[in-house]
Amino acid sequence: MNQIPYSPGLHKLVTLEVAKLDTLTSSQDFITFSEGLLLKYELEKVGISVHDFDNDSFTIAICLKESHICIHTWPEFQQLTLDVYLCNYLQDNTQKVKDITADYITYFEAVVLKDFEINR
């Protein structure tokens, strides 16, 4: 029996440097932008968890039917970490993960400090 190889999905992890501090302190703007991405890429949100810290940084986890998008910001260091993972249950979402990550990099007008791709 010849079995077809299966990859559960691509998981991108990036650390970004951001000069525009308002994007690192406005969780609501990030949510609004993310909602647009979910529509653009036809992703289904299952839930969202948001925490705003005293220093105006934030952490957000968007749980998707396809997996998740998570962010943690550090305005005091002009940085954020972002992770985007979509599983390949019904289709190969590899390019979609790369495109979503690129859209976030553009949104933040960021410089990429670290960029990891993990094929699950």
Side-chain angles (χ1 to χ4, degrees):
M1 175 152 82
N2 201 2
Q3 198 170 30
I4 298 171
Y6 172 70
S7 171
L10 178 65
H11 194 168
K12 279 199 62 86
L13 305 158
V14 295
T15 301
L16 306 178
E17 183 176 64
V18 180
K20 289 177 53 178
L21 290 182
D22 60 314
T23 60
L24 296 175
T25 60
S26 178
S27 60
Q28 189 54 56
D29 287 349
F30 177 83
I31 292 167
T32 300
F33 181 77
S34 297
E35 295 282 354
L37 289 182
L38 299 184
L39 289 172
K40 177 180 177 180
Y41 292 102
E42 300 177 341
L43 300 172
E44 187 176 331
K45 181 175 69 173
V46 175
I48 186 168
S49 183
V50 179
H51 183 79
D52 291 299
F53 293 92
D54 292 337
N55 69 345
D56 292 329
S57 63
F58 60 87
T59 186
I60 297 175
I62 303 170
C63 184
L64 305 171
K65 183 174 92 173
E66 301 82 3
S67 200
H68 68 268
I69 297 170
C70 297
I71 186 171
H72 309 278
T73 68
W74 287 273
E76 66 272 27
F77 301 112
Q78 294 181 267
Q79 292 186 17
L80 66 87
T81 58
L82 175 72
D83 100 66
V84 179
Y85 177 52
L86 300 178
C87 64
N88 290 336
Y89 175 61
L90 297 175
Q91 66 185 12
D92 183 350
N93 285 313
T94 300
Q95 191 58 51
K96 197 178 281 193
V97 170
K98 292 177 181 184
D99 293 344
I100 290 167
T101 304
D103 285 351
Y104 278 120
I105 292 167
T106 299
Y107 167 77
F108 285 104
E109 299 177 21
V111 173
V112 178
L113 299 176
K114 295 180 184 175
D115 185 347
F116 299 101
E117 290 188 356
I118 303 167
N119 289 299
R120 299 284 184 184

